[in-house]
Amino acid sequence: METYYSVLDMFDGDRSLSQFLVTILTVPQFANHPAVVDLLANIGNIICTLSRHQNLYTPLIGWAKDAISAECAREVRELAKVENGSHFSALHAKAEQIGGFKIDDMALQIAGEAPMLWALLDSLLSARALQVTKIESKGHTEIEVLVSDAQEAEDSEYWAQVDDLEGVIEGITGDYFVQRKVVIVSLLKKSTNQKANSLSSILGIFLHSTHAPEKVIETMAKMGLSISVDAIHDTVRLLSAESSHALQYLGQTLLAAYAYDNFDINLKSTVPTAEKSTDTLKHLTSGLLFPLQHGVTRDDLKCSYELWRKSRINPLSDCSIGRTWKDLLSLHQDVSHSSGLSRRDQFNSWKFLHDLCHHRPPYFAQFQSQISAPQVLEQIPVAKTPIIPASAMDVNNSTVTGNIQAIERLMAQGGVFDPADVEDGESPDVTEYVVLVHGDLGTGERIASMQQRRSIETTPWRRFQHIVFVPGLFHLKMAAADAIWRALIQPISARQDQTSLMHNIAQLRPRETGIFGSKPGFRMMHQLIGHDGICRRLDCWQIEVEKMNNAHKTLDDFAISKPSLEELKDIANRLAREYIATYRLTRYENNLLINKYFLLYEELSYAMNIGDIAHVETCIITWTLIFKATGKHKYATCMTEFLINLHFNYPAGLQKAIRYHWLVNPTGKPERFRAVDWCVELNNLFIKVKNGGTGSNRSVARVILESPLVEVYRNAHSVIETNFMHTGRTSLQAAPDMKKTFEGLLTKMRSSSPHIHMPGRQSTYLVPDLLDKGHELFEKGWKGIGTEDDGTIVDEVEQPTTEDVVGEL
């Protein structure tokens, strides 16, 4: 201690210890002196010791507060600068700003440019890890950080990776602290610069798209977590205008396909006025555009005059005798296979095997990944198809005049106008080109009527010479389900037999037999065909394996024998040959015909989902016969004439453009192809969900303004759900567990034996052979499009419900 006193005695008079320390720390000549180096190396211990001094704790904490506050304020100012990309202007809003928003990117930027602030927030948000211990003898509070060994190791790793900021973010992704720190920093930036509002803008648009009340939005805006309602409306207008520019850019390439359909929306008014009638149901038209991909060029579409020369509605047409439905039978002809099965039988064999491995004893599940998919005839390339919604139109397209208005307005949104009405260069001249327009059967009829009425006009634009209609496959699939209902459920006598489809419905859905007997929707029929078909095919398996070995009373008994995949394939091939109708034996034949129709439906669905366009066409040719036989003459005629034109009248370039865009792939994933008209119906669903309801802000004008922003709003939802790690992000429910339901129906089938021929067993109803009947009617010709055999007019155009659209998912 005497040595220390001797040193301290040196500092008296004009010399002070504080002056000495300041000098040796600031004068460069002393920087490398061993004493100075030692002092700097132990500065942490020195500061800690100073903080424990009863007279120095308060001024030291005050100094630290000022230093940290100044540094954090500087960091916030830097973050709030425009060059750091955190500004979101309502007057310059871009859809890409919403879709490209990522919390992780913001966290990476903050951690790199504001390390002091980031570390401070770490400490504040982890306050539970800090323990405060009062040292009574010292007269002040000492703060000690108590951490577990695991936490200490984690902190060491954290600081070891500071130089690798990407590693820091990867280490903390998924931590809710990251989200909270980013939100806090965003509030600080916005307080410093009101234009640094990217997070609050995204949240504002998200709240608006979820129907959040304006009071909620304004409250969030006051807290700095959202932009104001007025700013949101300005952003919506700018985004809508931006969408119109994207539509024009795509449309003026002349490499765009169009699709449109009507939709109804109920805009209820609390107090009807003279300006607002009590008729709250509004009939509007929505539209979509998507680019033509897969190597299609403008030259492929340069065939308007060629098609007009061949057209039957052309008064000066030089077309010869047209083709007939028989010519379609030559398309995609079968080739021999080693199994001896036709292409359709090969699919049926695959479906039998698929159902066994997915729905029966666990032993067979091991073969799921080993089953080879059916042969692909012509695959549409798998590529994501950008779908761009157009502004809704205040047009009722249930009339020919309405369709004329809808097409002209939709093409105007695409930047394509009558060449006679625009100056050179303002709009591409579509005179020599054709434009693909997708729609349902009703749309096709009205377009055909429109073109026939205008056929005497003098200019191609006036006679809509450029329009080539493409029928929607989603509505075709709905028609197929309805045809099965007409043949197997609608007749009262078809419901009597124990082996009838209606008796199976009573087992599968006992509370809904009345609905199925009257007019079930597409989704109910789609599910019925799938579930009942699976049970029927499993019953066939059970019968066949028992024939092979009487000890195999059930499929569980068969599984115990551990058959190989090759054995299963051989049995599936026999099932495809023997359990699908080829001859008539009353009830037994009835059920083999039901198997045939269900498998034809499954084949159509499968081909559409994987994008095998040639396979789809072969299915359509078969279904036109069924449509004809069930009185759906409009569909039979429309699809027959369309396929004849597609394969025998259209040039090769147009043929490719249509066939490779008859289905689109919104996700860009395999086996996720969708019909274009389904995309339109899904768009309608989002528009109605977003804009339907009550209140002054629910109006036709608002629907039209916001309808192009369907994808923007969906992106906003996805961005928020992803960045803030929402659970249950999908609106789709898991597939129901049908095991017990299937077991109940299989037990019933075991007792009624629908797939076992019993001599002498009679039926009150003979299921018609729709393919033979369709052939016969095509041979005879038909009385007229859309008529029953007795001459009554049939409305075949069905409008899908919300459940029908979602059911396709």
Side-chain angles (χ1 to χ4, degrees), residues 493-596:
S493 58
R495 311 174 190 178
Q496 307 303 318
D497 295 328
Q498 288 296 318
T499 59
S500 67
L501 183 56
M502 182 57 83
H503 276 256
N504 289 357
I505 293 172
Q507 181 72 35
L508 287 171
R509 308 177 81 153
R511 297 184 179 181
E512 298 174 349
T513 54
I515 299 176
F516 276 99
S518 55
K519 193 67 174 176
F522 165 70
R523 187 177 188 181
M524 292 181 67
M525 282 301 301
H526 177 77
Q527 292 174 339
L528 172 66
I529 294 169
H531 295 161
D532 188 71
I534 289 170
C535 292
R536 287 177 177 275
R537 290 184 285 276
L538 292 177
D539 185 60
C540 295
W541 273 100
Q542 193 162 300
I543 293 170
E544 187 63 22
V545 298
E546 188 175 0
K547 284 182 181 178
M548 296 168 52
N549 187 333
N550 197 47
H552 298 159
K553 299 296 184 183
T554 66
L555 290 177
D556 293 291
D557 296 335
F558 179 53
I560 293 174
S561 68
K562 297 185 177 180
S564 67
L565 179 59
E566 291 304 316
E567 291 176 298
L568 295 178
K569 288 180 179 180
D570 290 339
I571 299 173
N573 289 345
R574 284 204 302 276
L575 294 174
R577 291 190 190 98
E578 300 175 10
Y579 288 83
I580 299 172
T582 54
Y583 53 92
R584 176 168 294 285
L585 290 170
T586 61
R587 280 194 197 178
Y588 178 58
E589 169 69 1
N590 279 355
N591 288 281
L592 299 191
L593 283 169
I594 293 174
N595 290 346
K596 175 189 284 189

Side-chain angles (χ1 to χ4, degrees), residues 397-516:
N397 73 340
S398 61
T399 64
V400 174
T401 302
N403 275 262
I404 293 175
Q405 295 175 350
I407 289 177
E408 289 180 339
R409 294 187 187 183
L410 189 58
M411 294 196 67
Q413 292 189 54
V416 180
F417 303 90
D418 185 349
D421 296 338
V422 296
E423 299 291 338
D424 290 342
E426 292 183 4
S427 171
D429 189 346
V430 75
T431 302
E432 298 182 347
Y433 298 90
V434 295
V435 175
L436 307 186
V437 176
H438 295 253
D440 59 21
L441 179 64
T443 298
E445 288 182 318
R446 286 183 279 274
I447 287 178
S449 179
M450 170 185 76
Q451 290 176 319
Q452 188 168 12
R453 292 183 186 184
R454 294 287 192 90
S455 61
I456 60 174
E457 294 287 349
T458 56
T459 66
W461 178 272
R462 292 284 298 166
R463 55 179 176 255
F464 292 98
Q465 180 177 308
H466 54 285
I467 300 298
V468 173
F469 173 70
V470 182
L473 291 178
F474 175 54
H475 285 79
L476 175 84
K477 189 173 175 180
M478 292 177 62
D482 183 64
I484 290 177
W485 176 83
R486 290 189 182 197
L488 304 181
I489 299 177
Q490 184 183 30
I492 300 299
S493 58
R495 311 174 190 178
Q496 307 303 318
D497 295 328
Q498 288 296 318
T499 59
S500 67
L501 183 56
M502 182 57 83
H503 276 256
N504 289 357
I505 293 172
Q507 181 72 35
L508 287 171
R509 308 177 81 153
R511 297 184 179 181
E512 298 174 349
T513 54
I515 299 176
F516 276 99

Side-chain angles (χ1 to χ4, degrees), residues 28-47:
Q29 288 86 337
F30 300 124
N32 296 321
H33 192 280
V36 175
V37 172
D38 178 71
L39 178 64
L40 294 176
N42 291 280
I43 194 67
N45 292 331
I46 296 172
I47 293 176

Side-chain angles (χ1 to χ4, degrees), residues 25 28 94 296 328 360 435 453 502 541 698 729 770:
L25 290 174
K94 300 289 184 182
V296 175
L328 298 177
R360 282 320 281 166
V435 175
R453 292 183 186 184
M502 182 57 83
W541 273 100
R698 303 288 178 246
R729 293 174 50 194
L770 300 177

Side-chain angles (χ1 to χ4, degrees), residues 52-327:
R52 290 173 179 168
H53 196 283
Q54 59 184 357
N55 295 327
L56 296 178
Y57 178 79
T58 299
L60 185 62
I61 290 296
W63 169 84
K65 174 184 70 89
D66 293 340
I68 293 174
S69 297
E71 177 60 17
C72 289
R74 185 196 65 78
E75 291 178 345
V76 169
R77 288 194 297 271
E78 289 296 320
L79 290 172
K81 290 181 177 179
V82 65
E83 53 264 28
N84 284 321
S86 60
H87 289 206
F88 188 101
S89 172
L91 299 178
H92 301 90
K94 300 289 184 182
E96 293 79 8
Q97 292 176 281
I98 298 174
F101 177 81
K102 291 183 180 179
I103 286 277
D104 289 350
D105 290 345
M106 294 186 68
L108 178 64
Q109 181 190 38
I110 296 169
E113 299 187 13
M116 177 70 74
L117 178 60
W118 192 255
L120 177 62
L121 291 176
D122 262 336
S123 300
L124 296 177
L125 291 173
S126 305
R128 285 188 303 174
L130 301 178
Q131 241 184 30
V132 179
T133 305
K134 291 187 177 180
I135 311 286
E136 298 294 343
S137 60
K138 296 289 185 179
H140 68 277
T141 300
E142 179 184 7
I143 300 179
E144 297 178 349
V145 181
L146 304 179
V147 297
S148 65
D149 293 341
Q151 181 68 41
E152 184 175 358
E154 182 179 342
D155 287 346
S156 298
E157 181 182 0
Y158 176 91
W159 290 112
Q161 294 178 342
V162 166
D163 291 335
D164 183 8
L165 292 175
E166 290 287 349
V168 174
I169 296 305
E170 289 176 3
I172 59 179
T173 297
D175 189 348
Y176 286 106
F177 284 170
V178 175
Q179 303 166 2
R180 294 166 187 170
K181 287 189 286 185
V182 169
V183 171
I184 293 171
V185 174
S186 297
L187 291 175
L188 296 175
K189 290 194 296 182
K190 191 174 180 182
S191 297
T192 302
N193 187 334
Q194 286 294 317
K195 293 182 179 181
N197 59 351
S198 56
L199 177 61
S200 58
S201 298
I202 302 296
L203 288 173
I205 295 170
F206 169 74
L207 292 171
H208 175 72
S209 68
T210 57
H211 285 181
E214 291 189 357
K215 290 183 179 180
V216 173
I217 296 177
E218 288 294 354
T219 302
M220 299 284 279
K222 297 295 183 183
M223 291 189 289
L225 295 174
S226 171
I227 54 177
S228 67
V229 172
D230 290 339
I232 291 174
H233 290 166
D234 289 341
T235 303
V236 166
R237 283 190 286 271
L238 264 295
L239 290 173
S240 184
E242 182 198 11
S243 175
S244 68
H245 297 324
L247 285 173
Q248 287 190 7
Y249 178 81
L250 174 60
Q252 291 187 347
T253 64
L254 298 184
L255 289 173
Y258 296 74
Y260 70 94
D261 193 13
N262 67 296
F263 70 95
D264 301 328
I265 189 166
N266 200 1
L267 301 173
K268 298 178 181 179
S269 177
T270 306
V271 181
T273 63
E275 293 80 12
K276 297 180 180 179
S277 68
T278 55
D279 184 11
T280 59
L281 189 64
K282 304 300 180 183
H283 306 284
L284 307 176
T285 299
S286 68
L288 298 175
L289 273 74
F290 61 92
L292 298 179
Q293 303 170 305
H294 315 310
V296 175
T297 66
R298 287 178 60 155
D299 288 340
D300 294 328
L301 306 178
K302 195 174 183 180
C303 54
S304 175
Y305 284 113
E306 179 183 350
L307 296 185
W308 176 245
R309 191 181 70 251
K310 297 178 181 179
S311 175
R312 288 181 298 178
I313 63 174
N314 180 2
L316 303 176
S317 173
D318 59 357
C319 65
S320 57
I321 297 176
R323 303 266 187 166
T324 68
W325 66 275
K326 290 184 178 180
D327 294 299

